[in-house]
Coordinates of all heavy atoms in Angstrom, one line a residue:
V219 N 85.2 146.3 149.4 CA 85.3 146.5 147.9 C 86.6 147.3 147.6 O 87.3 147.0 146.6 CB 84.1 147.3 147.5 CG1 84.2 147.8 146.0 CG2 82.8 146.5 147.6
V220 N 86.9 148.3 148.5 CA 88.1 149.0 148.2 C 89.4 148.1 148.4 O 90.3 148.2 147.6 CB 88.2 150.2 149.2 CG1 89.6 150.9 149.1 CG2 87.1 151.2 148.9
R221 N 89.3 147.3 149.4 CA 90.5 146.3 149.6 C 90.6 145.4 148.5 O 91.7 145.1 148.0 CB 90.2 145.6 150.9 CG 91.3 144.5 151.3 CD 92.6 145.2 151.6 NE 93.5 144.2 152.1 CZ 93.7 143.8 153.4 NH1 92.9 144.3 154.3 NH2 94.5 142.9 153.7
A222 N 89.5 144.8 148.0 CA 89.5 143.9 146.9 C 90.0 144.6 145.6 O 90.8 144.0 144.8 CB 88.1 143.3 146.6
A223 N 89.6 145.8 145.4 CA 90.1 146.6 144.2 C 91.6 146.8 144.3 O 92.3 146.8 143.3 CB 89.3 147.9 144.1
E224 N 92.0 147.2 145.6 CA 93.5 147.4 145.8 C 94.2 146.1 145.5 O 95.3 146.1 144.9 CB 93.7 147.9 147.2 CG 95.2 148.2 147.4 CD 95.4 148.8 148.8 OE1 94.4 148.8 149.6 OE2 96.6 149.2 149.1
S225 N 93.7 145.0 146.0 CA 94.4 143.7 145.8 C 94.4 143.3 144.3 O 95.5 142.8 143.8 CB 93.7 142.6 146.6 OG 93.7 142.8 148.0
R226 N 93.3 143.6 143.6 CA 93.3 143.3 142.1 C 94.3 144.2 141.4 O 95.0 143.7 140.5 CB 91.9 143.5 141.6 CG 91.0 142.4 141.9 CD 89.7 142.4 141.0 NE 89.0 143.6 141.3 CZ 88.0 143.7 142.2 NH1 87.7 142.6 142.9 NH2 87.3 144.8 142.5
T227 N 94.4 145.4 141.9 CA 95.4 146.3 141.2 C 96.8 145.9 141.5 O 97.6 145.9 140.6 CB 95.2 147.8 141.8 OG1 93.9 148.2 141.6 CG2 96.2 148.7 141.2
I228 N 97.1 145.5 142.7 CA 98.4 145.0 143.0 C 98.7 143.7 142.2 O 99.8 143.6 141.7 CB 98.6 144.7 144.5 CG1 98.5 146.0 145.3 CG2 99.8 144.0 144.9 CD1 98.5 145.9 146.8
A229 N 97.7 142.8 142.2 CA 98.0 141.5 141.5 C 98.2 141.8 140.0 O 99.1 141.2 139.3 CB 96.8 140.6 141.7
T230 N 97.4 142.7 139.4 CA 97.6 143.1 138.0 C 99.0 143.7 137.8 O 99.6 143.4 136.8 CB 96.5 144.0 137.6 OG1 95.2 143.5 137.8 CG2 96.7 144.4 136.1
K231 N 99.4 144.5 138.7 CA 100.7 145.2 138.6 C 101.8 144.1 138.6 O 102.8 144.2 137.9 CB 100.9 146.2 139.6 CG 102.2 147.0 139.5 CD 102.2 148.1 140.6 CE 103.5 148.9 140.5 NZ 103.6 150.0 141.5
L232 N 101.7 143.2 139.6 CA 102.7 142.2 139.7 C 102.8 141.3 138.5 O 103.8 140.9 138.0 CB 102.5 141.3 141.0 CG 102.7 142.1 142.3 CD1 102.2 141.2 143.5 CD2 104.1 142.5 142.5
A233 N 101.6 140.9 138.0 CA 101.5 140.0 136.9 C 102.1 140.7 135.6 O 102.9 140.1 134.9 CB 100.1 139.6 136.6
Q234 N 101.8 142.0 135.5 CA 102.4 142.8 134.4 C 103.9 142.9 134.5 O 104.6 142.8 133.5 CB 101.8 144.2 134.3 CG 102.1 144.9 133.1 CD 101.7 144.3 131.8 OE1 100.6 143.7 131.7 NE2 102.5 144.3 130.8
Q235 N 104.4 143.1 135.8 CA 105.8 143.1 136.0 C 106.5 141.8 135.6 O 107.6 141.8 135.0 CB 106.1 143.4 137.4 CG 105.8 144.9 137.8 CD 106.1 145.1 139.3 OE1 106.3 144.2 140.1 NE2 106.0 146.4 139.7
E236 N 105.8 140.7 135.9 CA 106.4 139.4 135.6 C 106.4 139.2 134.1 O 107.4 138.7 133.5 CB 105.6 138.2 136.2 CG 105.9 138.0 137.7 CD 107.4 137.5 137.8 OE1 107.7 136.4 137.4 OE2 108.2 138.3 138.4
I237 N 105.3 139.6 133.4 CA 105.3 139.5 131.9 C 106.4 140.3 131.3 O 107.1 139.8 130.4 CB 103.9 140.0 131.4 CG1 102.8 139.0 131.9 CG2 103.9 140.1 129.9 CD1 101.4 139.4 131.5
E238 N 106.6 141.5 131.8 CA 107.6 142.4 131.2 C 109.0 141.8 131.5 O 109.9 141.9 130.7 CB 107.5 143.8 131.8 CG 106.2 144.5 131.4 CD 106.1 144.6 129.9 OE1 107.1 144.8 129.2 OE2 104.9 144.6 129.4
R239 N 109.1 141.2 132.7 CA 110.4 140.6 133.1 C 110.8 139.5 132.1 O 111.9 139.4 131.7 CB 110.4 140.1 134.5 CG 111.7 139.5 135.0 CD 111.7 139.4 136.5 NE 110.9 138.3 137.0 CZ 111.4 137.1 137.4 NH1 112.7 137.0 137.5 NH2 110.7 136.2 137.9
W240 N 109.8 138.6 131.9 CA 110.1 137.5 131.0 C 110.2 137.9 129.5 O 110.8 137.2 128.8 CB 109.0 136.4 131.2 CG 109.3 135.6 132.5 CD1 108.5 135.6 133.6 CD2 110.4 134.8 132.8 NE1 109.0 134.8 134.6 CE2 110.2 134.3 134.1 CE3 111.5 134.4 132.0 CZ2 111.1 133.4 134.7 CZ3 112.4 133.5 132.7 CH2 112.2 133.0 134.0
K241 N 109.5 139.0 129.2 CA 109.7 139.5 127.8 C 111.2 139.9 127.6 O 111.7 139.7 126.5 CB 108.8 140.7 127.5 CG 107.4 140.3 127.2 CD 106.6 141.6 126.9 CE 105.1 141.2 126.6 NZ 104.3 142.5 126.3
S242 N 111.8 140.5 128.6 CA 113.1 140.9 128.5 C 114.2 139.8 128.6 O 115.3 140.0 128.3 CB 113.4 142.0 129.6 OG 113.3 141.4 130.9
M243 N 113.7 138.6 129.1 CA 114.6 137.5 129.2 C 114.0 136.2 128.7 O 114.0 135.2 129.3 CB 115.1 137.3 130.7 CG 113.9 137.3 131.7 SD 114.5 137.2 133.4 CE 115.3 135.6 133.5
S244 N 113.3 136.3 127.5 CA 112.6 135.2 127.0 C 113.5 134.1 126.6 O 113.1 132.9 126.6 CB 111.8 135.7 125.7 OG 112.7 136.2 124.7

C-alpha cells in the first residue's frame, strides 16, 4: 500500500510536471 501510494504520488507529480511544461510551451 505504501509502495503503491508512493508510485501514485510520483506519477501524479510527473504528470503535473508535464502539464506545466506544456503550458509554458503550448
Side-chain angles (χ1 to χ4, degrees):
V219 171
V220 172
R221 178 70 174 271
E224 183 179 4
S225 299
R226 283 194 295 269
T227 301
I228 292 174
T230 302
K231 184 176 180 180
L232 291 173
Q234 188 62 40
Q235 288 177 352
E236 281 296 292
I237 292 174
E238 296 301 324
R239 180 166 77 105
W240 284 111
K241 281 183 179 179
S242 64
M243 51 185 296
S244 57

